[in-house]
Amino acid sequence: MEPFPSDRIQLPRNMIENSMFEEEPDVVDLAKEPCLHPLEPDEVEYEPRSSRLLVRGLGEHEMDDDEEDYESSAKLLGMSFMNRSSGLRNNMSVYRQNPNGSCSVPSMRTIVVCTVVLVIAVSLIMAIYLLPKCTFTKEGCHKKNHTMELIYPLATNGKLFPWAKIRLPSDVVPLHYDLVLQPNLTTLKFAGSVKIVVNIVQVTWKIILHSSGLNITKATITSAGGHQAKPVEFLEYPLHDQIAIMAPEALLTGQNYTVNIEYSSNLSDTYYGFYKISYKDENSKQRWFAATQFEPLAARSAFPCFDEPAFKATFLIKIERDEKLSTLSNMPKKATTPVTNGIVQDEFFVSLKMSTYLVAFVVADLKNISREVNGSLISVYAIPQHLNQVEYALNTTVKLLEFYQQYFLINYPLEKLDLVAIPDFQSGAMENWGLITFRETTLLFNSSTSSARDKKLITAVIAHELAHQWFGNLVTMEWWNDLWLNEGFATFMEYFAMEEIFPELYSGEDFLNLVFKAMMKDSLNSSHPVSSAVQSSEQIEEMFDALSYIKGASLLLMLKHYLTKDVFQAGIEVYLHNHNYGSAQSDDLWDSMNEITNGTLDVKKLMKTWILHKGFPLVTVVRKGKIISLQQEKFLYHVEPENWTSDESYLWHIPLTYITSSCNFTHCTNAYLLDQKSAVIELPEEVEWIKFNVDMNGYYIVHYAEDWKTLIDLLKKNHTALSPKDRANLINNIFNLAGLGKEPLEKAFELIDYLNKESSTAPLTQALFQLSLIYSLLEKKGEQQLATRVMHRIEHLLGDKIGQQRWTDDGTLSERELRSTLLTFACTHDIRNCRTTATEMFEKWMKSNGTMSLPSDVMKAIFTAGARSSEGWEFLLMMYSSSVSEAEKSKMIEGLASTEDVRKLIWLMQNSLEGEVIRTQELSHIIATVSQSLPGYLLAWDFVKENWEKLTRKFHLGSYTIQNIISWSTSQFATKAHLLEVKSFFESKSEESSQLRCVKEAIDTIQLNIQWMERNLAKLQELL
């Protein structure tokens, strides 16, 4: 899945709902509760260190053993015992009140009864904690050891639910699904039935699977070869989105059974599951569109299923529709048959073996263009009025598909591949096998309004999703802890394919800037390893972040350079061939690489230090003559000394690269594996300078100690001795080291003094990014005078470059992107008459009633300037409503959100949340833009606070969108008052909200901002 494109460049920053007793639940005492169905051995185990009482309103999330609060379990057991005794409490008040109002002494009988009750309560608590491990089965209690595990929860009907874990049991596996759906785009509901063929791995009386928000009306089970479908009892446990099919007899090992379930539900009004979309057709008439988004956990809300990635199966899908609409699914259409007047049913061919999150279907009025490639029919679909914008996507897909088939040495395995533009879509795109869904801005290309950046975005997203057809679809991560295997690989291949197939669209600085921002996130104590244990839905959602995508891709890039491209490619081929149509873990990838290195290098040992450690290393380089001393430590901002994680145990195996003054060409790159805390390199001769991490191909920061002065002098005298990526890398590293306190801020400012001679995009954009961060912090802190001086410094360094920009679309891709960045920045901050020129162009466009063609690369700058006036803003909003170009509308949104009119900003955010004029998919984009301005940054935070419940209902807790909304709305804060406010707000919400990793990151970031201001405010006064 591709995150929302504009969010990709912005780092996400960080859940367990407070359960309140609506009623006091009874404890389920397995020793006394009559069993409805026999329980298998090893199912009910008691273990004091991980005791977990799961009843209605309690224990909403599974925890690891070492996270359990067994003290609270004891309290709950005591509380529940008292609940059981409520009848006694009502009938036997210990103190009886006499008519005169005084209390009589309790009778001897009362005292005895109370004593017995108390003794039983204490005994029960002690017995549960002191009993040896006990498994209750038909035969009674089996002693195993002196620990205690789970007590089963209660189903919605009050009966015992026979499973207590979030993960499904492994005793039943699905083989095949027959799914029949009847969506109704008038009532906005759907009915469905599913037949699931399952295989029994271990004898059982139950089948546990997922279901969420479905109204199940009937469930039956049929044995293999049996003709009689037997009705079965089914139990529901919504807390874990699970249902239990209780078999009337034992399900035998090795046998197949068919479970048949009938159900109904509403089409979702979120972006998850089987959801509805409203849009206007070419006649401005409201139409409805139904589509799916199942990754990570939403297939269960469209049909009951085994909704975990490792449970792969085949799927036969049938969908009823209005004969005027069309349906699409993963596989080609097999047949269409009439059902009733005006209604037909489409049947699709049986799918390949795949995970539930990759199942997809669309019901809508769509048009397409197609082309055949190597036996597969490639089609691009859109609503009718957008059909003239799909040709570029089709041509791009054909080229990329051919490249991937040659690179992986595995043909795309399906007979068709559909790419569909969805009018309202949360992510950038979703890689469903054979039916890839896209946000319209990432698939539709309009030659008159799409900029160079738009074209590159479309190409990159298609490259990402096509890579998933192998990485993710053909070979799937076994569980969400290894999501990076899907997303890191797809991101890596996206940029690699762009470089190979579309060199005119590839610019290395894109990935470089993403890595810089991922490292900002990864430098916080609230970061996480690329491969992290996850259980709850919120934890799984939060894995879709910059670390899984960008850090994962960066580590693969580093490995590719270290192994060489041929060895790396051979390792990928082995991995895909060894695990196709199956599931894999990180170690499987390293084992495949080791098959190729054949003992010359232990890739697993090397890469485990990167995958299982959070953060990244700081390598300090000290040069004395020919001797280079190296030392590694963890790069970490210490914001709360009592909470930060010790880095003593952190040791990375770092594939260092370096160039020197004696030979600084690419072919002169030297390599050294630093696998100790410190080491020494002896050069063959003394050199004037040395630069590590060539082209930033490694995921680490370098501190040059005394050599920073040498590198600063080199940039002043001959900056082209280093590549543009190396220059950007030095700028990034020294500002990060200044933030850490390892180098003074004045040295960072000294390094960028050479920039008036700079012409390359990568170093210019990195310097602008770093200075803009400082400007924003000062501005929001109320240090207006100092902020103005920072802006003067930016103008001094970049003013000439801004003045040289032409308001056209000519030049190379890199030149065009730099023009767009510089002019948008200059117009926002009124540098070098930019705003005057842009406003003149906007007024001409407005006088032409929007018919005049504007240069697409500078359109955003023009709209930003034009929307400053009330008249311009209203006109832009009107044009937004009528525009058919999604690329143009995206730039209009940024212009509208850049106004300083507070009422307009509030209206814009509120309207986007409601999705009336502006689609809700744009909301995080709007909040990001609003939060950057001085009038808007507090408004954005207030909006998030006031609409938190609506936001999390629409976008789901932990989702990439929520991560970005939290990050953008808080990242400008730099005062203790704001820190307290953010902390208090999230603490007042559910435990799930307060425990979000992005909330913790937001708090870390505010603390860092405060720390940075305290450390550097006085220095800035002197410097500027």
Side-chain angles (χ1 to χ4, degrees):
M1 182 164 62
E2 185 82 354
F4 169 38
S6 77
D7 290 349
R8 293 180 48 181
I9 316 250
Q10 300 128 19
L11 284 184
R13 310 283 177 193
N14 289 297
M15 270 179 60
I16 299 181
E17 189 176 332
N18 281 340
S19 306
M20 306 304 291
F21 286 108
E22 293 177 8
E23 54 178 309
E24 295 178 317
D26 289 347
V27 162
V28 178
D29 186 340
L30 293 178
K32 297 177 182 176
E33 189 82 5
C35 266
L36 300 169
H37 297 273
L39 299 172
E40 287 92 30
D42 299 334
E43 287 186 357
V44 187
E45 301 169 339
Y46 292 99
E47 186 170 30
R49 287 189 56 79
S50 63
S51 155
R52 186 71 167 161
L53 185 67
L54 293 173
V55 291
R56 284 168 297 175
L58 276 178
E60 301 208 9
H61 287 269
E62 207 65 55
M63 290 186 175
D64 294 331
D65 288 356
D66 59 353
E67 294 176 329
E68 293 295 355
D69 184 352
Y70 40 88
E71 183 181 344
S72 66
S73 293
K75 291 174 184 172
L76 290 172
L77 285 166
M79 181 192 301
S80 299
F81 180 87
M82 297 309 289
N83 292 343
R84 269 196 182 164
S85 307
S86 60
L88 289 174
R89 287 200 304 265
N90 293 337
N91 297 323
M92 298 194 317
S93 294
V94 176
Y95 290 93
R96 303 177 192 280
Q97 198 171 42
N98 291 332
N100 62 8
S102 64
C103 289
S104 66
V105 178
S107 68
M108 182 57 68
R109 179 175 175 274
T110 303
I111 292 171
V112 170
V113 170
C114 288
T115 304
V116 170
V117 169
L118 186 60
V119 169
I120 292 171
V122 172
S123 302
L124 180 62
I125 294 166
M126 292 183 66
I128 288 175
Y129 276 82
L130 300 176
L131 267 178
K133 189 167 188 177
C134 195
T135 302
F136 292 99
T137 67
K138 287 177 282 187
E139 292 76 37
C141 171
H142 293 284
K143 292 183 181 179
K144 283 192 168 181
N145 57 38
H146 293 276
T147 55
M148 183 177 102
E149 219 180 75
L150 300 169
I151 299 176
Y152 286 110
L154 296 179
T156 50
N157 62 1
K159 293 185 179 180
L160 185 66
F161 190 82
W163 189 248
K165 298 181 181 179
I166 292 179
R167 297 284 298 273
L168 297 180
S170 55
D171 52 6
V172 179
V173 295
L175 302 176
H176 176 77
Y177 294 79
D178 276 357
L179 177 60
V180 179
L181 290 163
Q182 299 161 311
N184 187 319
L185 295 190
T186 304
T187 63
L188 303 178
K189 299 178 185 293
F190 70 96
S193 67
V194 63
K195 290 181 181 176
I196 312 173
V197 180
V198 299
N199 178 258
I200 308 304
V201 177
Q202 185 179 336
V203 65
T204 184
W205 291 77
K206 67 185 185 310
I207 298 173
I208 310 294
L209 64 160
H210 289 113
S211 171
S212 177
L214 301 177
N215 176 30
I216 297 174
T217 53
K218 184 180 177 184
T220 61
I221 191 166
T222 311
S223 59
H227 303 293
Q228 181 94 21
K230 298 178 182 176
V232 291
E233 180 185 22
F234 64 90
L235 303 172
E236 297 177 280
Y237 186 48
L239 212 54
H240 291 169
D241 291 343
Q242 289 172 356
I243 58 171
I245 303 296
M246 309 307 294
E249 57 195 24
L251 305 175
L252 304 178
T253 303
Q255 296 294 305
N256 289 354
Y257 297 84
T258 301
V259 176
N260 187 8
I261 302 173
E262 296 176 11
Y263 61 95
S264 62
S265 189
N266 296 320
L267 290 170
S268 172
D269 54 6
T270 72
Y271 289 109
Y272 294 84
F274 193 14
Y275 74 99
K276 61 180 185 282
I277 300 152
S278 167
Y279 71 97
K280 299 280 177 65
D281 66 13
E282 52 266 280
N283 301 315
S284 296
K285 183 184 173 185
Q286 187 186 42
R287 302 290 300 274
W288 288 97
F289 187 122
T292 58
Q293 171 60 46
F294 289 164
E295 189 180 35
L297 306 172
R300 63 191 67 175
S301 64
F303 59 101
C305 57
F306 294 78
D307 201 11
E308 293 183 6
F311 284 119
K312 291 192 170 187
T314 55
F315 295 81
L316 188 155
I317 295 173
K318 298 177 183 178
I319 303 175
E320 291 186 11
R321 62 172 168 89
D322 185 304
E323 61 186 0
K324 294 173 188 170
L325 301 177
S326 52
T327 59
L328 298 171
S329 188
N330 305 82
M331 301 301 291
K333 199 174 291 180
K334 182 180 180 182
T336 299
T337 54
V339 176
T340 183
N341 191 27
I343 303 295
V344 296
Q345 184 185 72
D346 291 329
E347 178 181 344
F348 298 88
F349 283 98
V350 176
S351 76
L352 298 177
K353 198 175 171 187
M354 64 182 184
S355 303
T356 49
Y357 78 85
L358 294 170
V359 174
F361 27 89
V362 170
V363 183
D365 179 14
L366 295 168
K367 302 290 183 207
N368 72 288
I369 61 171
S370 304
R371 191 181 309 164
E372 191 167 317
V373 179
N374 295 334
S376 295
L377 185 67
I378 314 301
S379 304
V380 184
Y381 289 82
I383 56 177
Q385 63 260 44
H386 288 158
L387 187 64
N388 62 347
Q389 299 177 46
V390 301
E391 188 175 1
Y392 177 74
L394 181 62
N395 295 334
T396 301
T397 302
V398 168
K399 290 177 186 174
L400 286 165
L401 200 66
E402 288 174 336
F403 168 72
Y404 284 143
Q405 290 181 138
Q406 291 166 9
Y407 186 80
F408 298 137
L409 296 182
I410 297 176
N411 283 339
Y412 173 72
L414 304 184
E415 292 178 13
K416 67 97 174 173
L417 175 61
D418 298 333
L419 292 77
V420 186
I422 308 283
D424 200 7
F425 196 73
Q426 182 180 347
S427 304
M430 176 61 209
E431 68 268 18
N432 316 297
W433 216 354
L435 179 59
I436 308 176
T437 46
F438 292 79
R439 183 181 283 219
E440 288 181 322
T441 47
T442 62
L443 192 66
L444 305 179
F445 179 78
N446 183 313
S447 55
S448 60
T449 57
S450 295
S451 65
R453 190 170 286 173
D454 295 327
K455 190 174 191 178
K456 185 166 71 172
L457 173 67
I458 292 165
T459 310
V461 175
I462 294 173
H464 184 101
E465 303 309 327
L466 287 186
H468 270 310
Q469 306 304 298
W470 287 265
F471 286 99
N473 300 7
L474 185 67
V475 180
T476 311
M477 78 264 139
E478 198 169 284
W479 181 243
W480 301 105
N481 63 305
D482 277 329
L483 175 68
W484 84 273
L485 279 177
N486 281 18
E487 299 301 350
F489 249 116
T491 305
F492 168 80
M493 291 305 302
E494 159 191 344
Y495 287 96
F496 178 60
M498 291 269 290
E499 186 177 11
E500 295 288 316
I501 307 302
F502 301 97
E504 75 282 3
L505 291 177
Y506 175 77
S507 50
E509 61 260 19
D510 286 335
F511 187 64
L512 194 66
N513 287 332
L514 288 175
V515 174
F516 288 150
K517 289 171 184 175
M519 291 177 95
M520 284 174 65
K521 173 188 173 78
D522 205 16
S523 64
L524 302 174
N525 197 43
S526 49
S527 182
H528 66 93
V530 168
S531 183
S532 298
V534 289
Q535 285 272 6
S536 72
S537 60
E538 298 84 14
Q539 290 169 344
I540 291 167
E541 289 274 9
E542 284 206 287
M543 288 302 285
F544 291 83
D545 68 359
L547 301 186
S548 293
Y549 286 78
I550 310 304
K551 182 178 180 179
S554 185
L555 298 182
L556 291 170
L557 177 69
M558 182 171 69
L559 183 62
K560 175 183 167 235
H561 279 282
Y562 190 59
L563 294 179
T564 72
K565 63 179 184 179
D566 292 338
V567 171
F568 182 80
Q569 182 179 355
I572 287 177
E573 289 166 7
V574 169
Y575 171 74
L576 290 173
H577 279 94
N578 285 354
H579 302 284
N580 59 7
Y581 302 105
S583 302
Q585 302 176 359
S586 295
D587 280 356
D588 295 318
L589 175 61
W590 313 139
D591 289 340
S592 298
M593 294 287 178
N594 278 341
E595 284 187 41
I596 304 301
T597 59
N598 200 23
T600 56
L601 172 70
D602 189 343
V603 177
K604 185 187 287 188
K605 187 177 179 183
L606 170 85
M607 294 308 292
K608 268 181 175 283
T609 67
W610 295 93
I611 297 300
L612 301 179
H613 286 173
K614 70 179 182 180
F616 53 87
L618 169 63
V619 178
T620 300
V621 176
V622 177
R623 180 168 63 98
K624 287 184 180 172
K626 294 192 292 182
I627 302 299
I628 309 295
S629 299
L630 305 168
Q631 187 168 336
Q632 66 160 293
E633 60 187 293
K634 185 178 180 182
F635 186 100
L636 179 67
Y637 290 112
H638 300 273
V639 287
E640 286 186 278
E642 69 274 14
N643 287 337
W644 68 271
T645 310
S646 169
D647 62 353
E648 286 304 309
S649 61
Y650 279 63
L651 177 70
W652 284 269
H653 291 195
I654 312 171
L656 296 174
T657 54
Y658 61 94
I659 51 173
T660 68
S661 56
S662 62
C663 183
N664 60 341
F665 298 106
T666 308
H667 66 270
C668 297
T669 299
N670 301 281
Y672 180 83
L673 184 65
L674 179 62
D675 56 2
Q676 301 295 324
K677 281 283 183 187
S678 57
V680 170
I681 298 174
E682 186 172 353
L683 301 177
E685 58 185 338
E686 283 198 36
V687 294
E688 291 176 29
W689 54 264
I690 187 166
K691 162 70 174 68
F692 276 82
N693 201 359
V694 178
D695 281 343
M696 183 67 192
N697 286 328
Y699 193 75
Y700 55 94
I701 279 179
V702 183
H703 179 25
Y704 292 95
E706 297 88 9
D707 256 10
W708 274 115
K709 187 176 186 317
T710 308
L711 291 167
I712 290 168
D713 290 341
L714 175 67
L715 290 175
K716 285 178 180 172
K717 291 173 189 170
N718 180 22
H719 67 281
T720 55
L722 297 173
S723 71
K725 285 185 183 178
D726 275 332
R727 302 197 295 269
N729 178 221
L730 288 177
I731 293 169
N732 174 269
N733 281 193
I734 199 161
F735 273 95
N736 273 300
L737 290 166
L740 201 61
K742 294 263 185 187
E743 284 293 335
L745 190 60
E746 51 263 40
K747 194 168 280 187
F749 274 84
E750 193 183 347
L751 184 138
I752 59 172
D753 272 343
Y754 89 96
L755 279 177
N756 47 22
K757 296 185 291 184
E758 184 61 83
S759 58
S760 296
T761 304
L764 285 169
T765 52
Q766 180 56 204
L768 188 58
F769 174 76
Q770 295 293 346
L771 293 172
S772 295
L773 284 180
I774 296 171
Y775 172 82
S776 292
L777 280 181
L778 292 169
E779 182 191 42
K780 309 304 186 301
K781 185 89 162 45
E783 298 285 346
Q784 297 297 357
Q785 225 179 4
L786 203 48
T788 304
R789 278 147 67 182
V790 171
M791 194 53 64
H792 286 155
R793 174 62 72 98
I794 294 173
E795 188 170 358
H796 169 72
L797 292 171
L798 304 178
D800 289 345
K801 188 62 60 183
I802 290 168
Q804 293 163 11
Q805 301 305 312
R806 298 185 302 279
W807 294 78
T808 62
D809 279 342
D810 58 355
T812 65
L813 174 80
S814 193
E815 288 168 348
R816 292 174 68 182
E817 288 197 306
L818 181 61
R819 175 187 304 136
S820 182
T821 300
L822 290 178
L823 289 180
T824 301
F825 181 85
C827 283
T828 301
H829 299 285
D830 202 16
I831 296 173
R832 295 286 177 107
N833 294 322
C834 178
R835 199 176 279 173
T836 306
T837 307
T839 304
E840 287 171 2
M841 294 181 78
F842 182 85
E843 285 171 354
K844 286 180 186 174
W845 178 70
M846 192 161 64
K847 278 176 188 168
S848 76
N849 205 27
T851 58
M852 185 183 103
S853 180
L854 292 173
S856 57
D857 291 338
V858 294
M859 199 179 276
K860 187 164 79 173
I862 293 168
F863 291 158
T864 300
R868 293 181 67 80
S869 73
S870 185
E871 184 190 5
W873 194 91
E874 296 293 346
F875 180 75
L876 196 59
L877 180 63
M878 182 185 76
M879 292 304 296
Y880 173 88
S881 303
S882 60
S883 174
V884 293
S885 165
E886 293 303 316
E888 184 178 53
K889 289 173 87 164
S890 180
K891 298 175 186 70
M892 288 174 174
I893 283 287
E894 287 204 49
L896 291 166
S898 299
T899 179
E900 293 184 353
D901 188 321
V902 168
R903 288 168 302 175
K904 287 182 169 64
L905 292 176
I906 293 169
W907 180 90
L908 201 61
M909 291 187 287
Q910 197 60 51
N911 189 276
S912 180
L913 179 59
E914 290 160 6
E916 291 300 318
V917 179
I918 296 163
R919 291 182 192 139
T920 309
Q921 68 177 14
E922 304 293 351
L923 183 57
S924 69
H925 192 185
I926 291 169
I927 289 174
T929 307
V930 169
S931 66
Q932 291 174 71
S933 71
L934 186 59
Y937 85 111
L938 292 176
L939 286 179
W941 169 238
D942 285 343
F943 176 81
V944 171
K945 287 189 296 182
E946 288 164 16
N947 295 280
W948 180 249
E949 278 70 29
K950 288 182 184 175
L951 290 169
T952 53
R953 195 160 53 245
K954 184 72 178 178
F955 297 113
H956 284 211
L957 273 175
S959 67
Y960 205 87
T961 304
I962 290 294
Q963 292 176 46
N964 277 287
I965 285 172
I966 291 173
S967 168
W968 277 115
S969 62
T970 61
S971 62
Q972 307 282 309
F973 294 156
T975 66
K976 289 179 179 174
H978 277 135
L979 174 64
L980 182 62
E981 186 182 332
V982 172
K983 276 184 173 180
S984 301
F985 172 74
F986 286 109
E987 283 169 3
S988 73
K989 298 300 165 187
S990 66
E991 197 179 341
E992 283 96 344
S993 297
S994 63
Q995 292 303 310
L996 280 174
R997 190 186 295 121
C998 56
V999 169
K1000 294 173 183 174
E1001 286 173 8
I1003 290 166
D1004 275 1
T1005 301
I1006 299 168
Q1007 289 172 323
L1008 274 177
N1009 291 344
I1010 294 168
Q1011 191 182 88
W1012 194 94
M1013 294 297 282
E1014 287 172 350
R1015 181 182 288 151
N1016 293 299
L1017 198 57
K1019 290 178 187 174
L1020 277 171
Q1021 299 276 11
E1022 296 171 20
L1023 265 174
L1024 302 171

